[in-house]
Coordinates of all heavy atoms in Angstrom, one line a residue:
D1 N 6.6 0.5 4.3 CA 7.9 0.4 5.1 C 8.2 -1.0 5.6 O 9.2 -1.1 6.4 CB 7.8 1.4 6.2 CG 7.5 2.8 5.8 OD1 8.1 3.2 4.7 OD2 6.7 3.5 6.4
K2 N 7.4 -2.0 5.3 CA 7.6 -3.3 5.9 C 7.9 -4.3 4.8 O 7.3 -4.3 3.7 CB 6.4 -3.7 6.6 CG 6.0 -2.8 7.8 CD 7.0 -2.8 8.9 CE 6.5 -1.9 10.0 NZ 7.5 -1.8 11.1
E3 N 8.9 -5.2 5.1 CA 9.1 -6.3 4.2 C 8.0 -7.4 4.2 O 7.6 -7.9 3.2 CB 10.5 -7.0 4.5 CG 11.7 -6.1 4.2 CD 13.0 -6.8 4.4 OE1 12.9 -8.1 4.6 OE2 14.0 -6.2 4.4
Q4 N 7.5 -7.6 5.4 CA 6.5 -8.6 5.6 C 5.1 -7.9 5.5 O 4.8 -7.0 6.3 CB 6.6 -9.3 7.0 CG 7.8 -10.1 7.2 CD 7.9 -11.3 6.2 OE1 6.8 -11.9 6.0 NE2 9.0 -11.7 5.8
Q5 N 4.4 -8.3 4.5 CA 3.0 -7.7 4.3 C 2.0 -8.6 4.9 O 1.3 -9.4 4.2 CB 2.8 -7.5 2.8 CG 3.8 -6.5 2.1 CD 3.5 -5.1 2.5 OE1 2.4 -4.7 2.8 NE2 4.5 -4.3 2.5
K6 N 1.7 -8.4 6.2 CA 0.8 -9.3 6.9 C -0.6 -9.1 6.3 O -1.4 -10.1 6.1 CB 0.7 -8.9 8.4 CG 2.0 -9.2 9.1 CD 1.9 -8.9 10.6 CE 1.6 -7.5 10.9 NZ 1.5 -7.2 12.3
A7 N -1.0 -7.9 6.0 CA -2.3 -7.6 5.5 C -2.5 -8.3 4.1 O -3.6 -8.9 3.8 CB -2.6 -6.1 5.4
L8 N -1.5 -8.2 3.3 CA -1.6 -8.9 1.9 C -1.7 -10.4 2.1 O -2.5 -11.0 1.4 CB -0.4 -8.5 1.1 CG -0.3 -9.1 -0.3 CD1 -1.6 -8.7 -1.1 CD2 0.9 -8.6 -1.0
N9 N -1.0 -11.0 2.9 CA -1.1 -12.4 3.2 C -2.5 -12.8 3.6 O -3.0 -13.8 3.0 CB -0.1 -12.9 4.2 CG 1.4 -12.7 3.8 OD1 1.7 -12.8 2.6 ND2 2.3 -12.5 4.7
R10 N -3.0 -12.0 4.5 CA -4.4 -12.4 5.0 C -5.4 -12.1 3.9 O -6.4 -12.9 3.7 CB -4.7 -11.5 6.2 CG -5.9 -12.0 7.0 CD -5.6 -13.3 7.8 NE -5.0 -13.0 9.1 CZ -4.0 -13.6 9.6 NH1 -3.4 -14.6 8.9 NH2 -3.5 -13.3 10.8
A11 N -5.3 -11.0 3.1 CA -6.2 -10.7 2.1 C -6.2 -11.7 1.0 O -7.3 -12.1 0.4 CB -6.0 -9.3 1.5
L12 N -5.1 -12.2 0.6 CA -5.0 -13.2 -0.4 C -5.7 -14.5 0.0 O -6.3 -15.2 -0.8 CB -3.5 -13.5 -0.8 CG -2.8 -12.4 -1.6 CD1 -1.3 -12.7 -1.6 CD2 -3.4 -12.3 -3.0
H13 N -5.5 -14.9 1.3 CA -6.2 -16.0 1.8 C -7.7 -15.9 1.8 O -8.4 -16.8 1.4 CB -5.7 -16.3 3.3 CG -6.3 -17.5 3.9 ND1 -6.3 -18.7 3.4 CD2 -7.0 -17.6 5.1 CE1 -6.9 -19.6 4.2 NE2 -7.4 -18.9 5.2
L14 N -8.1 -14.7 2.2 CA -9.6 -14.4 2.1 C -10.1 -14.5 0.7 O -11.2 -15.0 0.4 CB -9.9 -13.0 2.7 CG -10.2 -12.9 4.2 CD1 -10.5 -11.4 4.5 CD2 -11.5 -13.7 4.5
A15 N -9.3 -13.9 -0.2 CA -9.8 -13.9 -1.6 C -9.9 -15.3 -2.2 O -10.8 -15.6 -2.9 CB -8.8 -13.1 -2.5
R16 N -9.0 -16.2 -1.8 CA -9.0 -17.5 -2.3 C -10.2 -18.3 -1.8 O -10.9 -19.0 -2.5 CB -7.7 -18.3 -2.0 CG -6.5 -17.8 -2.8 CD -5.3 -18.7 -2.6 NE -4.2 -18.2 -3.3 CZ -3.2 -17.5 -2.8 NH1 -3.3 -17.2 -1.5 NH2 -2.2 -17.0 -3.5
I17 N -10.5 -18.2 -0.5 CA -11.6 -19.0 0.1 C -12.9 -18.4 -0.2 O -13.9 -19.1 -0.1 CB -11.4 -19.2 1.6 CG1 -11.5 -17.8 2.3 CG2 -10.1 -19.9 1.9 CD1 -11.4 -17.9 3.8
S18 N -13.0 -17.1 -0.6 CA -14.2 -16.5 -0.9 C -14.5 -16.2 -2.4 O -15.5 -15.7 -2.8 CB -14.4 -15.2 -0.2 OG -14.4 -15.4 1.2
Q19 N -13.4 -16.5 -3.2 CA -13.5 -16.2 -4.6 C -13.8 -14.7 -4.8 O -14.6 -14.3 -5.6 CB -14.6 -17.0 -5.4 CG -14.3 -18.5 -5.3 CD -13.0 -18.9 -6.0 OE1 -12.8 -18.6 -7.2 NE2 -12.1 -19.5 -5.3
A20 N -13.1 -13.9 -4.0 CA -13.4 -12.4 -4.0 C -12.3 -11.7 -4.9 O -11.2 -12.2 -5.1 CB -13.3 -11.9 -2.6
S21 N -12.7 -10.5 -5.4 CA -11.8 -9.6 -6.1 C -11.0 -8.9 -5.0 O -11.4 -8.7 -3.9 CB -12.5 -8.7 -7.0 OG -13.5 -7.9 -6.2
L22 N -9.8 -8.4 -5.5 CA -8.9 -7.8 -4.5 C -8.2 -6.6 -5.1 O -7.8 -6.6 -6.3 CB -7.8 -8.9 -4.2 CG -6.7 -8.5 -3.2 CD1 -7.3 -8.4 -1.8 CD2 -5.7 -9.7 -3.2
T23 N -8.3 -5.5 -4.3 CA -7.6 -4.3 -4.7 C -6.5 -4.0 -3.8 O -6.7 -3.9 -2.6 CB -8.6 -3.1 -4.8 OG1 -9.6 -3.3 -5.7 CG2 -7.8 -1.8 -5.2
L24 N -5.2 -3.8 -4.3 CA -4.1 -3.4 -3.5 C -3.9 -1.9 -3.5 O -3.8 -1.3 -4.6 CB -2.8 -4.1 -4.0 CG -2.6 -5.5 -3.6 CD1 -3.7 -6.4 -4.0 CD2 -1.2 -6.0 -4.3
L25 N -3.9 -1.3 -2.3 CA -3.9 0.1 -2.2 C -2.6 0.6 -1.5 O -2.3 0.1 -0.4 CB -5.1 0.7 -1.4 CG -5.0 2.2 -1.1 CD1 -5.0 3.0 -2.4 CD2 -6.1 2.6 -0.2
L26 N -1.9 1.5 -2.2 CA -0.7 2.1 -1.5 C -0.9 3.6 -1.6 O -1.0 4.2 -2.6 CB 0.6 1.7 -2.3 CG 1.9 2.2 -1.7 CD1 2.1 1.7 -0.3 CD2 3.1 2.0 -2.6
S27 N -1.0 4.2 -0.4 CA -1.2 5.6 -0.3 C 0.2 6.3 0.1 O 0.8 5.9 1.1 CB -2.2 6.0 0.8 OG -2.3 7.4 1.0
I28 N 0.6 7.2 -0.7 CA 1.9 7.8 -0.5 C 1.8 9.3 -0.5 O 0.8 9.9 -1.1 CB 2.9 7.4 -1.6 CG1 2.4 7.9 -3.0 CG2 3.2 5.9 -1.6 CD1 3.4 7.6 -4.1
Y29 N 2.8 10.0 0.1 CA 2.8 11.4 0.2 C 4.1 11.9 0.7 O 4.7 11.3 1.6 CB 1.7 12.0 1.1 CG 1.6 13.5 1.1 CD1 1.0 14.2 0.1 CD2 2.1 14.2 2.2 CE1 0.9 15.6 0.0 CE2 2.0 15.6 2.2 CZ 1.4 16.3 1.1 OH 1.4 17.7 1.1
D30 N 4.7 12.9 0.1 CA 5.9 13.5 0.5 C 5.8 15.0 0.5 O 5.7 15.6 -0.6 CB 7.1 13.0 -0.4 CG 8.4 13.5 0.1 OD1 8.5 14.4 0.9 OD2 9.4 12.8 -0.2
F31 N 5.8 15.6 1.7 CA 5.5 17.0 1.8 C 6.6 17.9 1.1 O 6.3 19.0 0.6 CB 5.5 17.4 3.2 CG 5.1 18.9 3.5 CD1 3.8 19.3 3.1 CD2 5.9 19.8 4.0 CE1 3.4 20.6 3.3 CE2 5.6 21.1 4.2 CZ 4.3 21.5 3.9
S32 N 7.8 17.3 1.0 CA 8.9 18.1 0.3 C 8.6 18.3 -1.2 O 9.0 19.3 -1.7 CB 10.2 17.3 0.5 OG 10.1 16.1 -0.2
Y33 N 7.8 17.4 -1.8 CA 7.4 17.6 -3.2 C 6.5 18.9 -3.3 O 6.6 19.6 -4.3 CB 6.7 16.4 -3.7 CG 7.7 15.3 -4.1 CD1 8.3 14.5 -3.2 CD2 7.9 15.0 -5.5 CE1 9.2 13.5 -3.5 CE2 8.8 14.0 -5.8 CZ 9.4 13.3 -4.8 OH 10.3 12.3 -5.2
E34 N 5.6 19.1 -2.3 CA 4.7 20.2 -2.4 C 5.5 21.5 -2.1 O 5.0 22.6 -2.5 CB 3.6 20.0 -1.4 CG 2.9 18.7 -1.5 CD 2.1 18.6 -2.8 OE1 1.9 19.6 -3.5 OE2 1.6 17.5 -3.1
M35 N 6.6 21.4 -1.4 CA 7.3 22.6 -1.0 C 8.4 23.0 -2.0 O 9.2 24.0 -1.8 CB 8.0 22.4 0.4 CG 7.0 22.2 1.5 SD 5.9 23.6 1.6 CE 7.0 24.9 2.2
T36 N 8.5 22.3 -3.1 CA 9.5 22.6 -4.1 C 9.0 23.8 -5.0 O 8.6 23.7 -6.1 CB 9.8 21.4 -5.0 OG1 10.0 20.3 -4.2 CG2 11.0 21.6 -5.9
T37 N 9.1 25.0 -4.4 CA 8.5 26.2 -5.0 C 9.2 26.7 -6.2 O 8.7 27.4 -7.0 CB 8.4 27.3 -3.9 OG1 9.7 27.5 -3.4 CG2 7.5 26.9 -2.8
M38 N 10.5 26.2 -6.4 CA 11.2 26.7 -7.5 C 10.8 26.0 -8.8 O 11.1 26.5 -9.9 CB 12.7 26.4 -7.3 CG 13.4 27.2 -6.2 SD 15.1 26.9 -5.9 CE 15.8 27.4 -7.5
L39 N 10.0 24.9 -8.7 CA 9.5 24.2 -9.8 C 8.1 24.7 -10.2 O 7.3 25.1 -9.3 CB 9.5 22.7 -9.6 CG 10.8 22.1 -9.3 CD1 10.6 20.6 -9.0 CD2 11.8 22.3 -10.5

């Protein structure tokens, strides 16, 4: 929900100085999809 990704900026900085691998995680959920009983 944010345009500015503070965590991503920080993680990329950490990855560069540490030569670390990086996984970007986006967790999503919409309850209305589960309630679409007609489908």
Side-chain angles (χ1 to χ4, degrees):
D1 302 319
K2 303 291 182 181
E3 291 186 10
Q4 295 295 323
Q5 296 288 332
K6 296 185 295 183
L8 179 56
N9 293 331
R10 196 72 87 222
L12 287 170
H13 180 55
L14 265 180
R16 288 193 183 95
I17 63 178
S18 296
Q19 299 298 304
S21 58
L22 184 65
T23 299
L24 278 57
L25 173 64
L26 183 63
S27 176
I28 60 174
Y29 184 76
D30 189 334
F31 186 66
S32 63
Y33 280 73
E34 307 294 349
M35 295 301 292
T36 312
T37 55
M38 294 181 64
L39 298 178

